[in-house]
Amino acid sequence: PNASANLLERDYLCFETVPSEGEGELAVTHEISLERLFRYSDLRKEAVKAGEQFTVRLNPKRLGSTEGWWAWGSLKGDLNGKKFARWERPDRNGEIGNLMSGEKTPNVEEMKREGWVFSELFDELTLNAEGDNAVIVEFVE
């Protein structure tokens, strides 16, 4: 995969702008391939018969486990043209919480002058799923 320092250039990541409260909502769709559907299942696709139906749901334990990076602002507004650094902004003690062991601390002020944006603290974002979020999958062939 693309390992650019700028997270916006990584082709396997997707960034969205969440509307302000009362100004709409954000719906994220995700296509699930047949291979992915069976990847973590004990069921084998060879055992499925045409006409059988299965329910697929979002695992609430996984919600928020991979979103990580976030910042205030809009992708089409104040974040437009910025580069997204993979690190959290330093906390009030100047520490960067997601530095890897042995990794050199980046020069935050210099990077900001160069147009880099740091994530807000990962733990300060909470995601919630509304409703059941179930999808019925019916096999036709």
Side-chain angles (χ1 to χ4, degrees):
N2 177 348
S4 172
N6 181 359
L7 297 182
L8 279 175
E9 295 175 352
R10 294 187 184 185
D11 53 7
Y12 57 92
L13 295 177
C14 178
F15 290 87
E16 299 288 344
T17 298
V18 178
S20 299
E21 188 172 351
E23 294 193 16
E25 61 184 42
L26 172 66
V28 178
T29 58
H30 181 72
E31 186 174 317
I32 301 175
S33 68
L34 190 59
E35 184 273 327
R36 174 86 187 266
L37 195 59
F38 286 97
R39 183 181 306 158
Y40 303 107
S41 173
D42 293 332
L43 185 64
R44 298 288 127 227
K45 61 183 168 185
E46 300 81 30
V48 177
K49 296 177 181 75
E52 287 188 295
Q53 294 184 345
F54 299 89
T55 302
V56 178
R57 283 190 175 80
L58 174 70
N59 181 346
K61 292 178 183 176
R62 300 282 300 171
L63 183 65
S65 65
T66 58
E67 86 289 334
W69 205 101
W70 71 284
W72 296 106
S74 167
L75 292 169
K76 294 180 180 175
D78 43 351
L79 296 176
N80 188 25
K82 299 287 185 177
K83 298 176 277 190
F84 289 7
R86 66 177 193 79
W87 299 286
E88 294 178 334
R89 68 170 167 75
D91 64 19
R92 63 183 170 192
N93 298 320
E95 301 292 321
I96 296 177
N98 66 326
L99 278 178
M100 302 298 282
S101 178
E103 183 176 23
K104 182 181 173 192
T105 302
N107 184 328
V108 174
E109 293 309 314
E110 181 179 328
M111 289 182 73
K112 284 181 178 179
R113 284 191 298 275
E114 294 172 354
W116 288 90
V117 176
F118 290 77
S119 174
E120 294 296 320
L121 302 181
F122 293 178
D123 294 341
E124 292 180 355
L125 178 67
T126 303
L127 297 179
N128 297 303
E130 292 183 7
D132 183 24
N133 296 303
V135 175
I136 304 297
V137 177
E138 180 175 354
F139 289 84
V140 293
E141 288 185 18

